Amino acid sequence: MLVFLGILLFALLIGISIALHELGHLATAKMFGMKVTRYFIGFGPKIWSFRRGETEYGLKAIPAGGFCEITGMTALEEVAPEDQHRAFNRQKTWKRVVVLSAGSITHFIVGFVILYFMAFTMGIPNLRDSAMIAEVAPCVQSSTDAECAPGAPAPAKDAGFQVGDEIVAVAGAATPTWADVLTKTRERSGTTEFRVLRDGRELTLTADVARVERELERKDGTRYKEEVGAIGVIQQRNFEYNAITAIGGATSFTGTMFENTWRGLINFPKKIPAVIEAIGGGERDIDSPVSVVGASRLGGEAVDRGLWQLFWLMLAGLNFFVGVFNLLPLLPLDGGHIAVNLYERVRDWIRKLRGLPAGAPVNYLRLLPLTYFVIFVGGSVTLLTITADIVNPIKLFQ
């Protein structure tokens, strides 16, 4: 039951995000005096609507997006004489770009708000795997020791490590992540230099790395014991804030989310073959692309397990992804329309320098083949991911 409720909640919140996206277009268009005739969530047959002023608001049967219809979106559209001054294509370029960008900007705002409330209510996970220290252990324990034995080595404590230190290098080798710190430390024995960041200053601490037996895990999940180097520090896995410091924490984490989103978009094409393979019965990679169906299913599983931090993190990540993806300079995405408007502005500026009149508006009919190609590719990828999410879904827990 909790899984089902979680799926419904995640799907509902996605729908609200879509509604807010279109509301961004609506609000900015009306703010600039443009005429907005329709604002609908969904596509296909109309379920319900009402009219307020000159705008019709409503819901349609297929919950796969939404639209905000602004008069005169292109020069091809016929506009009544009395609406000419309010047509989209008659406005200044910067106003058009603001209206077209408003949907994505709304997604970014929604993502930031989610991260802000996460920051001071449940904390933000250490997704960067940064080597921040949460605790300095009183000693280094082996896999067989439950407590510190008398005389047990305490390298980190003796070297002066403190909570909040970030380890940036071990024995002269840079360690941008906690995994790097573990790898480099496990190789060491005896006197070793560690560089740490403390309150914005870089310090060098010298620790006597101890060799202890630890139980480790291979990539296939099997476990084994091995003697490794250790100093006795525990990683900061979750960053907690109050209502004030959460602003900075959410801002910093927003940067991380943008970085991850951009990396995901670049690697997106490489992951499609794995999705096709998964449909045929192959193993589904947890990092493979998912549809709204798959995302909602993962959200439901997170709720069932009580992992609310993961639930909200996925929702924030989805908003950032949709916002960035929608700004790609491809029609029919908003980014494609922005690219056309900016092209016209730059072209006319160059023509003005040459003493020539402004050029004619871009003929969208000539761009239809490219538009149809983007729609075909996007539709195919959506169909593939939905199919994979139905026949071979990603599971957080096996």
Side-chain angles (χ1 to χ4, degrees), residues 148-203:
C148 290
K157 181 181 178 182
D158 294 341
F161 281 83
Q162 295 181 9
V163 172
D165 286 350
E166 181 178 359
I167 303 173
V168 296
V170 176
T175 53
T177 68
W178 183 257
D180 296 323
V181 171
L182 290 179
T183 299
K184 296 300 179 184
T185 304
R186 285 170 178 171
E187 298 171 351
R188 306 294 302 179
S189 176
T191 304
T192 303
E193 286 190 349
F194 290 78
R195 288 209 311 273
V196 302
L197 283 178
R198 181 183 298 169
D199 298 327
R201 295 186 303 116
E202 190 171 295
L203 305 174

Side-chain angles (χ1 to χ4, degrees), residues 18-19 34 69 99 149-150 178 237 241 289 354 375:
I18 293 171
M34 302 178 196
E69 194 172 275
V99 172
W178 183 257
R237 295 183 178 274
Y241 305 89
R354 297 171 58 194
I375 292 173

